[in-house]
Amino acid sequence: MLPHNQSFKSYHIGLQLLTETLRNTEEQGSMTAATQPSTNWHLKENARDHHTSKFSSKELIVRRGQAFTVTFNGTGQPEQNLTFIAETGPKPSKLAKTQATFGISSTMSTESWSAILQSTSSSSVSISISSPPNAVIGRYKLSVQTTSSGSSSTAILGTFVLLFNPWSSGDDVFMPNKAECEEYVLEEFGIIFAGNKNHINSFGWNFGQFQGDILNICLSMLDRSLNYRQDPATDVSHRNDPKYLGRVLSAMVNANDDQGVLLGNWSGNYEDGKSPNSWTGSGEILQNWKKSGFKPVRYGQCWVFAAVLTTVLRCLGIPTRTITNFSSAHDADGNLRVDEFYDASGNHLDRSADSIWNFHVWNESWFSRSDLGPSYSGWQVLDATPQEESGGIYQCGPASRNAIKEGDVDLDYDCPFVFAEVNADCMYWNYEATTGKKTLMFSKSTVIGQFISTKAVGRDDRVDVTIDYKYEEGSTKERDVFKKARKKLGLEDKFDPTAPTPQEIDQKPDISGRFKVAGPLEVGKDLSLILVLENLQSDAKTVHVNMTAWSTVYTRRPVHEIRKDSISATLSPKEEIQLPIKILYTEYQQQLTTDNTIQVTALCHVEGGIQVLVQRDITLDNPAIDIQVLGEAKVNKEVDVEVIFNNPIDMELMNCVLQVEGNDLLRGILEIDVPPVKASEKSSTKFKLIPFETGRKHLLVNFSCDKFADIKTFKMVNVID
């Protein structure tokens, strides 16, 4: 098909006009090598067509596999051919597909770089240029070369940035659902789910992938990776492949091997940096990384790593979302089993590298897997949180979500680790320090991988995607897949000296127990629980209960002891008793971490029977904070916002700070010092916004003081003209 339905005759008339344009230029003086003619990149029109209008850049940003228009003044002699050169990376090469040379054609190619003539005038030429759908992404230099009478001249037209194109059917990241493209590439606001399996909460996040300098920072990340440092030309040549880039960036977002973006810290002490809970967006983190001379930003935890990786991948055009897995296993030894140890007092012991996190956040990115086959394409798991090394460095994925569900753990990359995160079996042991003896208390195959969650497309709601990771928990199919995974890893026939015996697994307890919540789960209020014990036997049982309560971080690592108690009770046959437990706010206030998590454990020693472990992880909610927009939000017009906070405790709140951010609502982050809030009184803080874009925008607020850390909320603001 000829461009713009031109006839063959009109196409040649166009070339004739181009010749005249070049003659005019030649009359003004011959062009020397590497001069730069005036170039019009048609920024507004190209950005609209390429879904890149949200970038605030004066440089052309386009997507691969799709044509863009460029206009420049005439550049040479009438007899010569016009050749364009597009090149990227430190050593551009045709063989590596980091350099392309192409002339003007009558039709656009879908297999290679190509150009067609759009129009000419007495002083300029308009060309439509298209890249192949598998082109290397990154910053390109575009030049035009003219040859006449054996000599050639080259003019640099300028630079442009080429991104992945989920709207193009030929691209590996093609996403046929346009609403999903909007959400997973263009949406700058996200919701991250946290808490625990009994109590899911959420908070907003400003991904901000189109803010100021973020694109340049993302490209800098690629050029600072270990792969680039070891072999720049080869690294750049692989940047056409989303699975390659995803893996490289999963390493670069953490600082462990490569001075990447974020340093992780799970200690509960963040005095020499920022608490991971205090961040509300990725922009500040990425800007801080650049401003510091690319020194790791302190500190991140899983949701921060995942949110920053979401920002970077969406910025580059790869559809990406955050995923939260509740009761997430960290299987350090690769046996698809997680071991937890407790002493006789019920204290959770740090004897195993394995752990079960209250929740863990990772990423899914959408692309095809030509290396594995079409059935493994679609959502791919990437995880930037540094947990275990892969290929000698802290990186994880891409692991095909379909491969995880089917137990195909022998496939690239890191499938065994991700499979264990959602479907490992759990073993709970009693450990006697004086003898070194460990005794299995019980095992469970249904604990790990619950309520796997992500934000809905176009709505601020939670969507459960657990069924996409595994078959129904406890079903025959799910167990068959688990056995298949163990077999593929060679675990079925391998002797494991740490594994429980069949006799241990078959042991049946004499009693059952559970913790029941009997009051509000709020910071600032007493914590009321009931330990419910039931005798399962037809004869009386005497039980000695050792109970502990510890503050933890969300990974369930104990930080401070809050309470230790012992109690004994005799249960009649089949009797159920309820033992009330109250932990006062004054008891836990100084011990609580910024994660607001408490682990309560009761180790029940049954006379003549096996021990029973009863456990509950508690996540306490911060008090509510409210945002009111006082009037209509209009572009370039001031609007007042009020943030209201009621102090729920009978102590004055000091060192109060309000942090506010929101794309297209204000530039940067607004930080407001709030006066002390007296006991049981209300605080009201007002500030002004001047929105600069229309549409649904989100305002994020974070309030902190000496008694409450990082109270977050967000408000959708509809901005009109």
Side-chain angles (χ1 to χ4, degrees):
M1 180 68 69
L2 289 170
H4 301 285
N5 298 316
Q6 293 179 26
S7 67
F8 193 68
K9 180 180 177 183
S10 65
Y11 176 68
H12 276 277
I13 291 170
L15 285 178
Q16 200 170 7
L17 287 168
L18 173 58
T19 300
E20 291 170 8
T21 303
L22 299 179
R23 185 185 297 119
N24 290 339
T25 305
E26 178 62 20
E27 287 168 359
Q28 293 166 17
S30 63
M31 181 181 64
T32 57
T35 59
Q36 185 157 356
S38 172
T39 305
N40 179 355
W41 293 100
H42 300 278
L43 295 180
K44 191 172 181 181
E45 298 83 358
N46 284 327
R48 180 196 63 219
D49 294 343
H50 285 253
H51 303 93
T52 57
S53 298
K54 288 189 175 185
F55 284 105
S56 52
S57 171
K58 292 179 181 175
E59 186 176 23
L60 178 67
I61 302 168
V62 290
R63 300 189 186 277
R64 64 187 191 177
Q66 184 176 339
F68 62 91
T69 301
V70 57
T71 299
F72 54 95
N73 59 327
T75 54
Q77 303 260 359
E79 305 87 76
Q80 73 244 348
N81 292 321
L82 209 57
T83 302
F84 295 95
I85 305 154
E87 50 193 2
T88 187
K91 294 180 180 176
S93 146
K94 288 181 182 177
L95 188 63
K97 297 188 177 178
T98 52
Q99 184 188 65
T101 57
F102 50 99
I104 293 177
S105 312
S106 58
T107 59
M108 203 71 88
S109 169
T110 58
E111 303 295 324
S112 59
W113 288 82
S114 58
I116 59 172
L117 179 69
Q118 281 199 321
S119 65
T120 60
S121 70
S122 59
S123 60
S124 65
V125 184
S126 284
I127 303 290
S128 183
I129 293 174
S130 183
S131 61
N134 63 345
V136 167
I137 64 105
R139 180 167 280 112
Y140 278 79
K141 179 176 76 175
L142 182 65
S143 307
V144 60
Q145 186 180 65
T146 57
T147 305
S148 175
S149 305
S151 64
S152 64
S153 302
T154 302
I156 298 170
L157 297 179
T159 65
F160 65 94
V161 176
L162 192 67
L163 304 177
F164 290 99
N165 193 350
W167 287 270
S168 169
S169 60
D171 200 304
D172 283 342
V173 303
F174 173 60
M175 184 167 252
N177 185 314
K178 298 299 175 277
E180 291 184 347
C181 276
E182 291 280 331
E183 179 73 39
Y184 300 133
V185 179
L186 301 183
E187 181 56 65
E188 293 185 84
F189 172 76
I191 294 175
I192 296 172
F193 298 93
N196 63 53
K197 64 183 178 184
N198 301 311
H199 190 72
I200 296 174
N201 55 41
S202 63
F203 53 89
W205 191 273
N206 183 9
F207 294 124
Q209 65 266 34
F210 303 113
Q211 288 177 15
D213 205 26
I214 296 300
L215 175 57
N216 284 327
I217 295 172
C218 294
L219 295 175
S220 295
M221 286 175 70
L222 295 175
D223 289 347
R224 300 186 74 80
S225 73
L226 292 177
N227 293 35
Y228 184 86
R229 287 184 230 168
Q230 288 160 5
D231 188 344
T234 301
D235 171 72
V236 173
S237 73
H238 288 144
R239 293 183 188 176
N240 65 321
D241 183 354
K243 67 179 179 292
Y244 176 81
L245 273 196
R247 188 159 174 81
V248 166
L249 289 167
S250 79
M252 273 305 297
V253 167
N254 70 65
N256 287 50
D257 310 286
D258 43 30
Q259 291 292 292
V261 177
L262 270 166
L263 192 62
N265 183 344
W266 287 266
S267 70
N269 179 6
Y270 316 112
E271 286 179 2
D272 57 343
K274 278 189 72 166
S275 162
N277 283 291
S278 68
W279 305 108
T280 53
S282 307
E284 183 185 4
I285 295 167
L286 290 165
Q287 296 284 5
N288 286 356
W289 183 57
K290 183 189 175 187
K291 285 175 190 168
S292 71
F294 301 104
K295 291 177 183 161
V297 176
R298 300 167 183 252
Y299 287 107
Q301 290 174 355
C302 69
W303 66 91
V304 191
F305 291 110
V308 171
L309 186 55
T310 300
T311 296
V312 176
L313 293 172
R314 285 188 184 183
C315 182
L316 298 177
I318 300 176
T320 302
R321 62 189 187 180
T322 59
I323 297 288
T324 301
N325 178 40
F326 291 95
S327 296
S328 188
H330 177 168
D331 176 22
D333 53 10
N335 63 358
L336 306 188
R337 201 183 73 218
V338 176
D339 298 296
E340 286 204 339
F341 293 88
Y342 295 83
D343 67 15
S345 298
N347 292 306
H348 188 172
L349 302 177
D350 187 18
R351 282 200 53 78
S352 170
D354 293 347
S355 55
I356 305 168
W357 297 14
N358 282 336
F359 69 91
H360 179 45
V361 185
W362 59 67
N363 296 95
E364 284 181 355
S365 291
W366 179 274
F367 47 85
S368 63
R369 292 297 299 267
S370 55
D371 58 325
L372 303 181
S375 62
Y376 299 105
S377 294
W379 289 116
Q380 312 292 320
V381 174
L382 293 162
D383 194 343
T385 301
Q387 295 180 88
E388 297 294 329
E389 289 186 353
S390 172
I393 62 173
Y394 284 95
Q395 59 188 350
C396 183
S400 164
R401 195 180 68 179
N402 291 347
I404 301 305
K405 182 169 183 176
E406 299 300 334
D408 293 325
V409 293
D410 52 335
L411 301 179
D412 288 339
Y413 296 87
D414 305 308
C415 283
F417 186 78
V418 179
F419 182 89
E421 285 183 306
V422 299
N423 214 9
D425 282 355
C426 297
M427 306 288 164
Y428 299 86
W429 303 86
N430 176 236
Y431 178 76
E432 178 54 59
T434 54
T435 63
K437 182 185 178 186
K438 65 184 183 71
T439 307
L440 183 74
M441 292 183 283
F442 65 98
S443 63
K444 281 192 175 178
S445 63
T446 57
V447 168
I448 298 301
Q450 300 192 40
F451 304 108
I452 305 176
S453 304
T454 193
K455 178 187 175 295
V457 173
R459 307 191 320 275
D460 295 343
D461 298 325
R462 184 182 80 89
V463 174
D464 194 299
V465 294
T466 310
I467 197 67
D468 297 320
Y469 277 87
K470 57 184 177 180
Y471 291 94
E472 187 179 349
E473 196 70 82
S475 67
T476 303
K477 181 68 174 173
E478 181 266 333
R479 285 289 88 189
D480 287 347
V481 167
F482 184 80
K483 290 171 187 170
K484 172 185 174 184
R486 283 185 60 83
K487 190 170 185 181
K488 278 180 176 283
L489 294 175
L491 297 171
E492 284 290 282
D493 307 316
K494 185 178 173 185
F495 174 69
D496 183 353
T498 68
T501 65
Q503 291 79 12
E504 285 179 308
I505 291 173
D506 289 340
Q507 290 179 113
K508 295 288 184 277
D510 294 320
I511 68 164
S512 69
R514 71 184 192 278
F515 280 111
K516 196 162 72 173
V517 175
L521 298 176
E522 294 176 26
V523 179
K525 297 190 176 175
D526 298 341
L527 175 59
S528 294
L529 300 171
I530 296 170
L531 175 59
V532 181
L533 298 177
E534 183 184 358
N535 184 355
L536 304 175
Q537 304 301 326
S538 53
D539 55 332
K541 295 292 177 185
T542 299
V543 184
H544 305 284
V545 180
N546 291 333
M547 197 207 83
T548 60
W550 285 73
S551 68
T552 66
V553 287
Y554 77 100
T555 61
R556 295 174 65 249
R557 189 182 70 78
V559 178
H560 300 294
E561 186 178 81
I562 296 170
R563 166 83 68 87
K564 182 182 282 188
D565 272 336
S566 293
I567 191 170
S568 295
T570 299
L571 282 72
S572 301
K574 304 293 186 182
E575 183 188 10
E576 179 181 283
I577 63 170
Q578 299 194 358
L579 304 173
I581 298 156
K582 179 172 274 194
I583 301 173
L584 303 177
Y585 173 56
T586 51
E587 277 186 89
Y588 73 75
Q589 178 207 338
Q590 297 296 326
Q591 315 302 334
L592 203 60
T593 69
T594 56
D595 290 340
N596 294 349
T597 49
I598 295 174
Q599 186 180 88
V600 186
T601 302
L603 188 57
C604 304
H605 302 266
V606 183
E607 290 185 2
I610 64 170
Q611 297 171 98
V612 173
L613 180 72
V614 186
Q615 190 183 75
R616 177 116 185 193
D617 293 292
I618 306 286
T619 301
L620 301 176
D621 288 330
N622 273 321
I625 190 165
D626 187 43
I627 307 174
Q628 297 291 334
V629 180
L630 308 175
E632 265 190 332
K634 294 185 176 180
V635 172
N636 298 325
K637 296 280 171 62
E638 277 191 352
V639 62
D640 288 315
V641 176
E642 182 179 23
V643 176
I644 300 164
F645 176 72
N646 289 296
N647 180 1
I649 62 175
D650 57 2
M651 289 180 267
E652 186 175 44
L653 307 181
M654 308 291 289
N655 307 323
C656 304
V657 178
L658 191 67
Q659 182 179 297
V660 187
E661 75 170 299
N663 278 328
D664 302 332
L665 295 173
L666 47 83
R667 300 185 193 278
I669 295 175
L670 181 64
E671 202 165 274
I672 304 167
D673 289 325
V674 177
V677 186
K678 289 190 168 56
S680 305
E681 287 200 357
K682 181 174 86 170
S683 163
S684 170
T685 307
K686 288 186 179 177
F687 56 90
K688 295 182 185 298
L689 295 179
I690 305 177
F692 43 93
E693 289 286 345
T694 60
R696 289 173 78 253
K697 310 298 175 184
H698 287 83
L699 190 66
L700 293 91
V701 162
N702 186 17
F703 176 80
S704 285
C705 62
D706 62 336
K707 301 292 190 297
F708 301 104
D710 306 308
I711 302 174
K712 295 179 180 177
T713 192
F714 61 86
K715 176 92 171 178
M716 197 278 284
V717 181
N718 192 31
V719 181
I720 59 175
D721 273 326

